């Protein structure tokens, strides 16, 4: 079958047209041929509400209650809910199909976000954590019901690029960059809208965007490329066969646990770095500068993620993981050195370079080790790992920054980078007998 750039995509991309298109537009010009022209902008915009939710909850609840503790608890409830709910929706998407699950999630999430806005304004004496229980419950449900557009988009790309590792690398490079863009743009939009208009408006806009964009993403024809799980049915994606023995199931569980733990470490790196930067920047121009500093690392990470599409095929996933994690481990201690803004900007710019390619690699390995028919579950588990790790890193680094200063807090991302390298060595063992 031959999906054109403007026609409906199918599960099996054509093998003749790509070469001509790649010559004209490069590797990334191949993606609209596989998925259709509307899929990329739709998938990018549909994940923006999730990027706005955590900061939006923090901004709204803090502004209404005047309590940073309650605002932080609301943001934490969103993160906990998202980390817990994502694998559930991923498993349901594997079983029932993405379209149905995403539409239901969009409706639930819009209702939960609306309830969060109302609870923030209507619950009396919400400055106390106990009194703010309805607000926190609404935040938890809002996080748990978040439509997992990013992970499920990766599932679609893995189905569309089945048997084509070059195209898969290109697609995953784009997806990592899209995540970086939305998670820089989302908080920025929340800050601008809340400061210029009203603190409830960013969440209201997020709810409207969810209702408008997520169902459109759900019904996009690319969802037809992903088969549902039916007994031992083999999906059209590069996934491991279903294990039959106890030992095989144990090996499969370990193979999945390694990339998931890696994403927890990656999230810890992110959360600890952002929190430590807040403490660092407070001594110069205020803690609000931390977001701009963090965006520097995000930009270099996004650019490096795009470059993975052009890396030689002979550089396998194991080599990539070890090389990128090793570079992160070598560069992370540089965070301990700057005592002014320009050197810190330079360090963050360089430190972001291995981050994006490592994320692309871990998602690729997740797709390789996922059991048959469980790719959505694994992809959402990887995304949940980032969320959970971010909460861990923020909490630990925040405590260290409060008691011992930002320099000590930066030890957390250094340790997280080292853990990523050790997990890369474990991944090399897990993947030794895999293609």
């Amino acid at each position: 079958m031959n999906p054109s750039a403007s026609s409906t995509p199918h599960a099996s991309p054509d093998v003749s047209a790509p070469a001509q298109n790649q010559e004209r537009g490069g590797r990334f010009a191949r993606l609209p041929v596989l998925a259709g022209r509307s899929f990329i902008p739709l998938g990018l915009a549909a994940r923006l509400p999730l990027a706005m939710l955590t900061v939006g909850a923090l901004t709204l609840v803090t502004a209404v209650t005047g309590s940073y503790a309650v605002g932080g608890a609301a943001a934490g409830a969103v993160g906990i809910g998202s980390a817990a709910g994502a694998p559930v929706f991923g498993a349901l998407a594997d079983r029932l199909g993405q379209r149905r699950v995403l539409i239901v999630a969009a409706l639930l999430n819009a209702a939960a976000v609306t309830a969060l806005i109302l609870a923030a304004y209507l619950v009396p004496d919400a400055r106390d954590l106990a009194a703010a229980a309805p607000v926190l419950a609404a935040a938890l449900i809002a996080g748990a019901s978040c439509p997992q557009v990013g992970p499920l988009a990766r599932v679609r790309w893995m189905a569309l690029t089945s048997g084509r590792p070059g195209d898969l690398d290109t697609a995953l490079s784009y997806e990592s960059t899209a995540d970086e863009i939305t998670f820089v743009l989302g908080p920025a939009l929340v800050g601008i809208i809340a400061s210029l208009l009203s603190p409830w408006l960013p969440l209201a806009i997020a709810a409207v965007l969810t209702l408008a964009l997520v169902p459109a993403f759900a019904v996009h024809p690319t969802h037809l490329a992903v088969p549902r799980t039916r007994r031992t049915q083999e999906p059209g994606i590069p996934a491991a066969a279903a294990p039959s023995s106890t030992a095989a199931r144990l090996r499969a569980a370990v193979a999945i646990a390694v990339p998931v733990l890696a994403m927890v470490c990656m999230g810890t790196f992110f959360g600890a770095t952002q929190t430590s930067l807040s403490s660092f920047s407070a001594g110069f121009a205020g803690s609000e500068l931390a977001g701009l500093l963090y965006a520097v690392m995000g930009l270099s990470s996004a650019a490096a993620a795009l470059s993975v599409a052009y890396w030689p095929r002979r550089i396998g996933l194991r080599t990539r993981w070890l090389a990128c994690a090793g570079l992160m481990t070598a560069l992370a201690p540089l965070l301990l050195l700057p005592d002014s803004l320009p050197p810190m900007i330079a360090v963050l710019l360089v430190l972001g370079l291995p981050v994006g390619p490592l994320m692309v690699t871990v998602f690729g390995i997740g797709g390789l080790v996922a059991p048959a028919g469980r790719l959505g579950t694994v992809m959402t588990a990887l995304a949940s790992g980032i969320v959970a790790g971010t909460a861990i890193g923020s909490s630990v680094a925040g405590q260290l920054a409060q008691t011992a200063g930002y320099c000590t807090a930066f030890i957390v991302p250094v340790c997280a980078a080292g853990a990523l390298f050790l997990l890369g060595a474990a991944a090399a063992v897990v993947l030794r007998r895999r293609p």
Side-chain angles (χ1 to χ4, degrees):
M1 286 182 275
N2 181 17
S4 67
S6 58
S7 63
T8 299
H10 299 278
S12 301
D14 178 55
V15 297
S16 58
Q20 298 176 354
N21 190 67
Q22 184 168 321
E23 290 176 0
R24 290 196 300 267
R27 296 178 188 271
F28 288 95
R30 179 86 171 92
L31 299 184
V33 176
L34 289 169
R37 290 179 180 174
S38 64
F39 182 69
I40 290 178
L42 182 59
L44 180 65
R47 75 187 75 193
L48 186 60
L50 174 59
M52 298 172 65
L53 184 54
T54 301
V55 178
L58 173 65
T59 302
L60 170 66
V61 176
T62 301
V64 173
T65 64
S67 170
Y68 289 103
V70 177
V78 171
I80 293 171
S82 180
V88 175
F89 278 108
L92 290 173
D94 284 334
R95 178 67 61 180
L96 304 175
Q98 288 192 15
R99 180 176 59 178
R100 188 185 311 177
V101 171
L102 282 168
I103 291 174
V104 171
L107 295 173
L108 289 175
N109 186 249
V113 171
T114 302
L116 174 58
I117 296 172
L118 294 175
Y121 282 101
L122 297 179
V123 173
D125 299 324
R127 294 184 180 183
D128 178 73
L129 283 176
V135 178
L136 301 181
L140 184 70
I141 297 172
S145 60
C146 283
Q148 299 299 314
V149 173
L152 295 182
R154 286 179 170 89
V155 173
R156 297 188 189 188
W157 284 120
M158 289 179 178
L160 292 167
T161 59
S162 178
R164 302 177 182 277
D167 287 338
L168 179 58
D169 274 343
T170 302
L172 294 182
S173 297
Y174 159 73
E175 285 296 320
S176 293
T177 302
D179 284 342
E180 295 280 5
I181 291 172
T182 53
F183 279 97
V184 170
L185 181 60
L189 287 175
V190 170
I192 293 171
I193 296 171
S195 60
L196 295 180
L197 298 172
S198 176
W200 63 267
L201 192 56
L203 286 180
I205 292 175
V208 172
L209 290 176
T210 296
L211 285 175
L213 297 175
V214 173
F217 175 84
V219 302
H220 191 275
T222 49
H223 81 90
L224 298 172
V226 183
R228 302 177 190 176
T229 302
R230 294 182 186 276
R231 297 180 183 177
T232 58
Q233 176 185 352
E234 291 290 338
I237 53 178
S244 56
S245 67
T246 301
R249 285 194 293 269
L250 180 60
R251 287 195 298 269
V254 172
I256 295 170
V258 170
V260 171
L261 286 175
M263 284 310 194
V264 173
C265 291
M266 185 68 76
T268 302
F269 178 86
F270 291 152
T273 301
Q274 191 167 25
T275 301
S276 301
L277 286 174
S278 296
S279 178
F280 172 83
S281 61
F284 299 99
S287 59
E288 64 274 5
L289 185 64
L292 295 177
L293 289 174
Y294 188 72
V296 171
M297 188 174 72
L299 291 174
S300 63
S301 173
L306 286 176
S307 75
V308 174
Y310 300 94
W311 290 18
R313 296 274 73 76
R314 65 178 179 273
I315 303 178
L317 292 172
R318 292 174 292 180
T319 303
R320 256 200 255 161
W321 188 331
L322 287 171
C324 293
L327 186 56
M328 277 184 68
T329 303
L331 293 175
L334 296 178
L335 291 168
L336 305 173
L337 302 180
D339 57 2
S340 60
L341 292 177
M344 181 59 77
I345 292 173
V347 168
L348 292 170
L349 192 63
V350 175
L351 182 56
L353 294 177
V355 173
L358 182 55
M359 289 187 66
V360 173
T361 302
V362 175
F363 273 113
I365 288 178
L368 181 66
V369 302
R374 293 289 184 266
L375 188 55
T377 307
V378 174
M379 289 295 108
T380 49
L382 293 175
S384 294
I386 296 178
V387 175
T390 300
I392 294 171
S394 297
S395 175
V396 175
Q399 291 294 326
L400 291 175
Q402 182 72 27
T403 58
Y406 68 82
C407 193
T408 303
F410 275 127
I411 294 176
V412 180
V414 173
C415 293
L420 280 165
F421 181 77
L422 294 177
L423 287 168
V429 175
V430 169
L431 295 176
R432 183 173 298 165
R433 295 186 178 180
R434 294 181 182 272

